[in-house]
Amino acid sequence: MDFLYCRCNYHCNISIFFFVGIIDTSVSSTNIGLWLLILLILGGIMIAGYFLKSNGNIKIANLILGIEAIPAIIFGLWLLLILITNPRWN
């Protein structure tokens, strides 16, 4: 399993939530710093994994991306559960 693709998918999902939050104003001036910090950390981990993998440090890159992929896998399973069960949110 290539953890880099899992991280890219996870980062795209978080970015979608960020941009939807900007549109519906749930991301405001009080919490935009936290959102930007999260996006920078996620992007930094993904870029570090890519550079480590391209320089031949595959074990270290897989370790970094694998540890960070665990929340992404759990998040993906949660989204799949939401799509399958179609819960009532009221």
Side-chain angles (χ1 to χ4, degrees):
M1 178 179 203
D2 196 5
F3 293 117
L4 187 60
Y5 297 117
C6 183
R7 293 294 303 161
C8 287
N9 186 13
Y10 181 59
H11 189 68
C12 288
N13 286 331
I14 297 299
S15 298
I16 288 170
F17 282 127
F18 173 70
F19 288 118
V20 167
I22 286 178
I23 291 170
D24 71 0
T25 65
S26 62
V27 175
S28 61
S29 62
T30 58
N31 62 1
I32 196 162
L34 181 62
W35 271 101
L36 292 177
L37 179 68
I38 290 169
L39 290 174
L40 285 173
I41 289 172
L42 291 176
I45 290 170
M46 193 170 62
I47 290 170
Y50 174 75
F51 282 126
L52 283 170
K53 193 170 189 172
S54 66
N55 288 333
N57 297 327
I58 296 173
K59 288 184 180 182
I60 298 172
N62 281 339
L63 179 68
I64 289 172
L65 295 171
I67 291 171
E68 291 294 318
I70 293 170
I73 292 169
I74 293 170
F75 178 71
L77 291 173
W78 178 77
L79 279 179
L80 184 65
L81 180 71
I82 295 298
L83 289 173
I84 290 172
T85 60
N86 197 13
R88 295 183 58 164
W89 294 98
N90 54 354

